[in-house]
Amino acid sequence: MGFRLAALCCLCLAVIMPTSLSATRFQVLDSRSGQSRELTVYSESVSNYLDLGELAPALQADIQWESTGQRLALTLEGQRFVFEDLLTFFDCAGQAYQLVAPCRVVRGTFLVPVQFVVEYLPRLLPGRFSFDKAAGALADSGPGKAGAPSAEAARPEPEVRRPAATAPPAARETAAAAPRSDLEKKAREYRIETVMIDPGHGGKDPGALGSRYRQREKDIVLDISRRVVAHLKKSGLGLRVLITRDSDILPPLLKRGEMANMADAGLFVSIHCNANRKSSVRGTSTYFLDAAKTDEERATAMLENAALKHEVEAQGEQGKDDINLILQDMAQNEFLRESKDLSTFIHRELVRALDLPDRGIKQANFAVLRGAYMPAALIETAYISNPQDEGLLRDGSFRERLAGAVADGIIKYIEQYHKKLSEN
């Protein structure tokens, strides 16, 4: 539902904006003087973008990098809007707001979808901003006239389990005033104590097949996953480590995340082998759940989601009502930033430990990750379609190194998460 809504928003923006985007300009109208300021609209296939560096002075706002080249905060009327590269939402006062496309950092320029100006500024600061559809411009009544947020904007989000590191400022202030024992009790509630490891495919779904040795993906990832479980149990963190399948069976993709939810897991990691029509393609990559941006990401998601054809249960998904689907999207958005962090920690260790090309941290709409309401990552260990990668995947010592790297990434993520938890 979230992606259908995003597509609808993109369609609405397409009606508002001229069809020829390469030379499009966006206007900010000063309601007091009648003067206007033009901003450049940058066009990509997924959305139209504005440069925050150009937008800020037009709105008399302040901007500051929170993490150079990655996360930037725009301060306007006492509100902080925090954007992060590659994420399809922004944060304001502890609330996450969905965008139709991911933010982008291109050669130091921070781009945000035009939707932020067209939809969210009038919604969150209604006394100051309004969007003039006839003129295709943002009307600005000037500083100090922000007004109260609209009823829709102020409506509380449905309650979901939020990582303590991303708790809203008001919650942190309340916590600061609480007795120390209460703080420690609350911190313990948010600690990651259970990890769910998911070996991809299984049963009548073999996954991808090796190009030279005809190895089956389902067998390789089951062995690697068992090794990851063993490493995590020996980590000294006292983790409860579970696995979605420990034999050659096929748990439904759409149920694996639910299995993690039912077990009250704090992390979900799905392990796979990649494949490509070109046998020369090789390397390792790590994914988190979000809309795919590239053909490669879309192709990988289609490959891993193909197992849905084996599942009778998948037909029932169409019967879910729209409200439940919206709540699903909102819950998953709560963990988007943490999922990206988890993917980063794991991928860093994989690149360090393995002699494989680094294909990067990516995002795509994987069915297996959709139902997991916790930080989640999907690992494409290597290309089984590449003879060299497949040869490595056959080797037990390579699988052991690979499993050790995955476990190290998970452990380092948990350690930094608990550190942030204690600091907050």
Side-chain angles (χ1 to χ4, degrees):
M1 181 63 184
F3 297 115
R4 294 200 296 272
L5 287 175
L8 179 60
C9 290
C10 282
L11 178 61
C12 293
L13 286 177
V15 173
I16 294 169
M17 303 304 297
T19 54
S20 177
L21 298 173
S22 58
T24 298
R25 306 289 288 178
F26 185 89
Q27 286 191 328
V28 177
L29 300 175
D30 187 327
S31 300
R32 298 162 300 176
S33 66
Q35 296 180 339
S36 65
R37 179 162 182 173
E38 289 191 337
L39 307 178
T40 303
V41 174
Y42 298 88
S43 176
E44 284 202 359
S45 59
V46 292
S47 186
N48 303 317
Y49 288 88
L50 293 173
D51 173 8
L52 277 182
E54 189 179 17
L55 177 65
L59 304 181
Q60 301 180 52
D62 296 322
I63 56 173
Q64 182 177 9
W65 287 103
E66 289 198 341
S67 177
T68 303
Q70 181 176 5
R71 189 166 60 250
L72 186 144
L74 180 144
T75 304
L76 180 64
E77 298 287 352
Q79 298 277 13
R80 292 181 74 256
F81 303 92
V82 181
F83 306 87
E84 187 165 345
D85 184 33
L86 299 181
L87 294 192
T88 54
F89 70 90
F90 67 92
D91 182 274
C92 179
Q95 298 289 347
Y97 295 92
Q98 182 74 50
L99 294 166
V100 298
C103 300
R104 298 287 308 282
V105 177
V106 182
R107 293 186 293 276
T109 299
F110 204 112
L111 303 177
V112 297
V114 175
Q115 177 200 15
F116 171 68
V117 171
V118 171
E119 176 186 346
Y120 284 114
L121 283 183
R123 174 181 165 187
L124 297 173
L125 301 173
R128 175 168 173 182
F129 297 108
S130 62
F131 184 71
D132 187 337
K133 292 184 179 180
L138 180 73
D140 181 3
S141 62
K145 298 183 179 181
S150 65
E152 179 184 2
R155 185 181 301 144
E157 303 282 353
E159 184 177 351
V160 296
R161 183 183 174 195
R162 177 193 295 268
T166 58
R172 292 199 293 268
E173 291 170 6
T174 302
R180 181 68 185 175
S181 59
D182 291 346
L183 288 175
E184 292 173 347
K185 180 179 178 181
K186 181 61 67 175
R188 285 195 298 272
E189 291 178 4
Y190 282 106
R191 289 181 66 84
I192 296 171
E193 297 176 342
T194 302
V195 176
M196 180 70 81
I197 302 298
D198 171 51
H201 309 281
K204 57 187 175 182
D205 174 24
L209 297 177
S211 61
R212 175 177 294 177
Y213 305 103
R214 306 306 292 171
Q215 291 189 108
R216 300 182 300 185
E217 179 183 0
K218 67 174 183 177
D219 300 326
I220 294 172
V221 298
L222 178 58
D223 179 66
I224 294 171
S225 297
R226 286 170 172 166
R227 294 171 187 263
V228 172
V229 169
H231 279 281
L232 290 174
K233 287 183 175 180
K234 296 176 183 176
S235 67
L237 295 180
L239 294 171
R240 174 175 171 239
V241 190
L242 306 176
I243 193 166
T244 58
R245 68 176 184 94
D246 199 20
S247 60
D248 190 19
I249 61 173
L250 179 61
L253 289 189
L254 299 169
K255 297 292 185 182
R256 300 189 191 204
E258 292 182 18
M259 292 168 65
N261 297 333
M262 294 294 292
D264 198 27
L267 293 180
F268 180 82
V269 177
S270 190
I271 299 176
H272 295 256
C273 301
N274 215 335
N276 194 288
R277 292 180 180 178
K278 297 180 179 178
S279 61
S280 60
V281 177
R282 61 188 302 254
T284 187
S285 54
T286 309
Y287 284 79
F288 59 95
L289 179 66
D290 203 353
K293 304 193 289 30
T294 67
D295 289 341
E296 179 185 355
E297 291 170 345
R298 281 185 283 274
T300 302
M302 288 178 64
L303 177 70
E304 302 299 354
N305 292 344
L308 288 172
K309 67 178 179 286
H310 297 290
E311 301 176 15
V312 176
E313 292 87 347
Q315 298 172 3
E317 284 293 298
Q318 298 174 358
K320 289 190 176 181
D321 61 80
D322 288 348
I323 295 298
N324 281 338
L325 292 172
I326 291 171
L327 292 177
Q328 274 189 1
D329 283 350
M330 294 176 70
Q332 286 162 344
N333 283 339
E334 292 291 330
F335 302 104
L336 193 53
R337 180 177 297 172
E338 291 296 326
S339 294
K340 183 181 177 183
D341 287 349
L342 171 63
S343 301
T344 300
F345 273 88
I346 294 173
H347 191 71
R348 186 182 299 143
E349 296 305 313
L350 286 170
V351 172
R352 286 174 178 170
L354 308 178
D355 186 21
L356 286 174
D358 177 6
R359 300 193 67 84
I361 301 165
K362 302 176 182 292
Q363 59 191 66
N365 181 20
F366 290 104
V368 72
L369 300 182
R370 288 179 202 157
Y373 301 148
M374 63 201 68
L378 185 145
I379 303 164
E380 295 287 4
T381 55
Y383 278 81
I384 198 171
S385 55
N386 175 272
Q388 188 174 352
D389 278 12
E390 187 191 7
L392 291 172
L393 290 168
R394 290 183 72 210
D395 180 48
S397 62
F398 177 82
R399 293 184 191 181
E400 182 65 20
R401 281 194 293 128
L402 195 157
V406 172
D408 286 345
I410 292 173
I411 291 166
K412 289 181 179 180
Y413 169 82
I414 292 174
E415 288 175 342
Q416 69 85 33
Y417 176 80
H418 287 171
K419 181 180 178 182
K420 288 194 297 182
L421 191 61
S422 63
E423 291 172 352
N424 283 278

